[in-house]
Amino acid sequence: MLDIVIAVILDFLIGDPYSFPHPVKLMGNIISVEDKFVRKIFKSKKALKIAGFLIAFINIAMAFFLTFILLKSIRKYKLLYHIINIYLIYTCIAAKCLHKEAMKVYHAFNNGIEDAREKLSYIVGRDTKSLSKEEIIKADIETIAENTSDGVIAPLFYIFILGAPGGLMYKMVNTMDSMLGYMNEKYIDLGCFPARIDDVFNYIPARLSGILMCVSSIFKYDVVNGFKIMLRDRKNHKSPNSAYPEGAVAGLLNIQLGGSSYYFGKLVEKPTIGDKNKIIEKEDIKSTIDIMYRGELLLLFIYMIIGFM
């Protein structure tokens, strides 16, 4: 329990320095090599789906068992064990990184809308070149909300259940989805299983994230509306999970998210999430970051209470 608390504090204080060695960077390199390798062998659509399944199975097993074996092998060296364990858990949590990247968009408006569009392009998959100020803010908020689940609540959830091996296993699942799980022509077959597995792994954390975000916002944001929009608009997203945290934020802040956007030059029709009770504004980015931290701290508090029982 103490290792997890220390890891959360480390993430809050220093985040992920760009030059720091990080398991997710290694995962990304492995997936990139696998992507190129399997395409030389598997050519048909069906074969690529099988390749995607094999990549997912091998990577999940590798992430979990290599971490498990490493920690087990050094368990008798107490200090070293706790240092490595804290480091591995810390690398699974991305709250401060998400905070910093989202605020880059916030501050970029001071240099003009072109800079804000550029900063946003680093953290979203949609085309940003023609977005209005309101659309940029909306996309930034959606990214914070969705990644509160993917980058904060979900890894902690698996860490609580399975320790650092569970956290690294989840990060591998999430990294595969972010690299292979696109619905475009190149990845629709190879990324089929990685994307579906990510949906399964995020099923509980996404719903838990929405609940935590709402409950932790009591006395500050519109909690009743947060629950209302989350439940009402939970299916208003191509992902079976993303509308829960996004709906919670939209309801809590009384804003409207979602709507159609361009991805790789193609218009993707998407329903809206929430009601346009007020005009979305730049300060809503800060409020969404606040909601993210509130949800994280509430989950940590619940875990500590259970641990002491």
Side-chain angles (χ1 to χ4, degrees), residues 102-299:
M103 286 303 293
K104 285 180 183 178
V105 178
Y106 176 93
H107 292 300
F109 282 112
N110 297 330
N111 301 322
I113 194 167
E114 289 299 330
D115 192 36
R117 287 169 178 160
E118 182 181 353
K119 294 297 189 297
L120 178 67
S121 70
Y122 300 153
I123 59 173
V124 301
R126 73 190 68 183
D127 298 338
T128 64
K129 291 182 180 178
S130 60
L131 295 183
S132 66
K133 180 178 180 179
E134 181 178 336
E135 289 171 330
I136 293 169
I137 296 169
K138 184 191 295 185
D140 201 22
I141 289 172
E142 289 170 5
T143 299
I144 303 165
E146 182 176 355
N147 283 284
T148 295
S149 176
D150 293 356
V152 184
I153 303 302
L156 283 172
F157 175 78
Y158 286 102
I159 289 165
F160 292 161
I161 297 172
L162 298 169
L168 270 295
M169 175 183 66
Y170 172 77
K171 294 303 289 185
M172 178 61 88
V173 169
N174 195 236
T175 305
M176 285 190 294
D177 179 60
S178 66
M179 293 183 67
L180 305 177
Y182 294 105
M183 295 298 289
N184 58 28
E185 186 177 348
K186 182 179 180 180
Y187 286 107
I188 193 166
D189 298 309
L190 182 62
C192 178
F193 277 104
R196 297 294 174 268
I197 291 169
D198 183 76
D199 289 342
V200 172
F201 269 76
N202 279 299
Y203 186 87
I204 294 174
R207 287 149 182 79
L208 179 62
S209 295
I211 294 170
L212 290 167
M213 293 162 93
C214 289
V215 173
S216 63
S217 295
I218 292 175
F219 305 126
K220 186 161 186 182
Y221 303 107
D222 193 340
V223 175
V224 173
N225 197 47
F227 276 110
K228 172 190 167 185
I229 299 301
M230 179 179 68
L231 294 174
R232 189 194 73 187
D233 296 346
R234 66 189 184 277
K235 295 183 179 179
N236 288 8
H237 202 288
K238 64 185 176 92
S239 162
N241 301 317
S242 296
Y244 285 88
E246 288 186 25
V249 168
L252 289 167
L253 301 181
N254 281 289
I255 58 176
Q256 189 175 82
L257 300 175
S260 302
S261 297
Y262 281 91
Y263 291 83
F264 305 105
K266 293 184 178 180
L267 180 65
V268 177
E269 299 284 347
K270 297 190 295 183
T272 57
I273 298 173
D275 299 319
K276 206 167 187 177
N277 294 330
K278 76 178 187 68
I279 301 298
I280 199 167
E281 55 189 13
K282 196 169 73 165
E283 293 306 310
D284 290 322
I285 295 173
K286 285 186 174 180
S287 297
T288 308
I289 293 170
D290 178 46
I291 292 168
M292 173 190 72
Y293 281 124
R294 284 169 171 265
E296 179 187 25
L297 291 175
L298 178 58
L299 179 61

Side-chain angles (χ1 to χ4, degrees), residues 33-152:
V33 171
E34 291 170 337
D35 183 1
K36 294 173 184 175
F37 176 74
V38 298
R39 290 183 188 278
K40 295 177 181 178
I41 302 172
F42 300 88
K43 302 296 183 180
S44 70
K45 294 172 73 68
K46 183 177 180 180
L48 283 171
K49 285 186 178 181
I50 294 171
F53 173 78
L54 292 174
I55 287 174
F57 179 81
I58 292 168
N59 286 350
I60 291 170
M62 181 169 58
F64 182 87
F65 287 109
L66 287 181
T67 309
F68 179 82
I69 292 168
L70 169 64
L71 290 173
K72 188 176 181 180
S73 67
I74 61 172
R75 196 169 189 90
K76 60 183 177 181
Y77 307 106
K78 295 293 185 182
L79 180 59
L80 178 62
Y81 171 85
H82 286 293
I83 290 172
I84 298 297
N85 193 44
I86 290 168
Y87 165 72
L88 292 174
I89 294 171
Y90 149 74
T91 62
C92 293
I93 308 166
K96 185 59 176 287
C97 180
L98 182 57
H99 176 175
K100 287 167 63 177
E101 295 302 317
M103 286 303 293
K104 285 180 183 178
V105 178
Y106 176 93
H107 292 300
F109 282 112
N110 297 330
N111 301 322
I113 194 167
E114 289 299 330
D115 192 36
R117 287 169 178 160
E118 182 181 353
K119 294 297 189 297
L120 178 67
S121 70
Y122 300 153
I123 59 173
V124 301
R126 73 190 68 183
D127 298 338
T128 64
K129 291 182 180 178
S130 60
L131 295 183
S132 66
K133 180 178 180 179
E134 181 178 336
E135 289 171 330
I136 293 169
I137 296 169
K138 184 191 295 185
D140 201 22
I141 289 172
E142 289 170 5
T143 299
I144 303 165
E146 182 176 355
N147 283 284
T148 295
S149 176
D150 293 356
V152 184

